[in-house]
Amino acid sequence: MTTPDRHDFPPGFAWGCSTSSYQIEGAAREGGKGESIWDRFCQRPGAIRDGSSGATACDHYHRWPEDLDLAQGLGVDAYRFSIAWPRIFPDGVGERPSAEGLAFYSRLVDGMLTRGLQPWATLYHWDLPQALQERGGWLNRDTMAAFADYAHAVAHHLGDRVKHWITHNEPWCTAFLGHHEGVHAPGLRDFRAALQVCHHLLVSHGDAVAAVRAAAPGAQAGITLSLHPIRAASAGPADQAAAQRHDGLRNRWFLDPLHGRGYPADVLAALGDDAPRVEAGDLARIATPCDFLGVNYYFPETIADAPGGEGIATRVVPTPGAPLTAFGWPIVPEGMTELLTRVQRDYRPAAVYLTENGACFDDVPDADGFVQDDARQRFLAAHFAAALRAVRAGVPLKGYFVWSLLDNFEWAEGYTRRFGLTHVDYATQRRRLKASGEWFRHFLRAESPAP
Ligand code: FCB
């Protein structure tokens, strides 16, 4: 494989890097911020692998100028960040948004613009105000209205400068990791509840798109999904059917209703009584037209039938021949091309952005604190090439955001998983670009080839 050159990509292709509020900000009790469900969940014994929390994280709340300098130093065009809802409405709802919370993001956005970074704001990257959770969280339809109000307030204040808005980040994770598997906040284990939450997230996405458009005319709005190419473990009919079911709940369950097709009939049939309650008008709200689709691609899944396979159950098995990251995720760059071309073939979105892609490896700083992470560099080069193949196959891919600018708090894994282009020494908060970051900077700075 030859490493692509940035000039191989279409003019205007946006290169960026991503972060999220709870994973980097810290300052959990500062700036008038209310408690979030992640602040609460991290206190639960055993919930986080290293017993940590995002209370301090990368201390980005105080160190953001240095972090934006790092992004600028990389030479990225765009920076994707998320807004912590409890900084804007500490109790989730209210007459007026917090001036202090808005001022923080206003400074941050100005800091991006003065550094030539295009701000991409995600409204919900999982840190729901705990006060709303007390009232049922995403199971309660009132949370949808609260989300639209919050979206409107933020877009009203930042929409003169922020032109790209993402409503939800990976609703699959919020719904199923948070409400079925119980490994993410709020830590419930109830499949039926997870499906209802999922439905409310999707409806609230459509409402938030409308709210952003009303508050910030001309803004572009979309959603970010975590999508996986799905392969069957064998050609046998049971595994084939399992792969189809798995694709149904992982991918089509989101893509179909967002594109105006309602929920997929085969998945509804498999769910039976577990299917969510859908009220009149909900499907039209979910299908509110978007300007772009955000795709987070990390890995494909190989699926086998679950023993006694009934209903929706399936089993994820190892992907043959794929090396693994330190997280155990299979490294399959061609899965990215496969996924993007499939989305294009089946749904024809107006524009697609890879809003996250990256990898976790066991980084070992040398005596001088430098991380020679060749594996991450190879990973990125191979995935950039896969993205280019998708572009050449006709996918309207307009940008690519690497996860992540910084090592950060990796949810249930705490600080044990590092995804950054920049190493963070959590004891000193010292940042140092890794070799992969230097490579990315070199890629971005490439001179145009001579005509
Ligand atoms: C994604 C999340 C992001 C980060 C990466 C590794 O699922 O959106 O916050 O944790 O995985």
Side-chain angles (χ1 to χ4, degrees), residues 23 125-126 169-170 296 298 356 403 410-411 419:
Q23 294 180 275
H125 203 127
W126 308 352
N169 177 70
E170 302 189 346
N296 290 354
Y298 286 98
E356 286 180 30
W403 184 270
E410 180 48 37
W411 309 113
F419 278 86

Side-chain angles (χ1 to χ4, degrees), residues 307-364:
E310 221 181 72
I312 201 81
T314 58
R315 208 156 36 97
V316 180
V317 299
T319 294
L324 304 178
T325 68
F327 213 151
W329 292 355
I331 302 175
V332 187
E334 58 276 19
M336 176 187 270
T337 320
E338 182 184 326
L339 174 69
L340 293 173
T341 50
R342 181 263 174 116
V343 166
Q344 172 61 9
R345 187 191 66 224
D346 292 353
Y347 300 96
R348 308 222 159 259
V352 179
Y353 289 86
L354 280 160
T355 39
E356 286 180 30
N357 171 253
C360 152
F361 292 103
D362 289 327
D363 296 334
V364 184

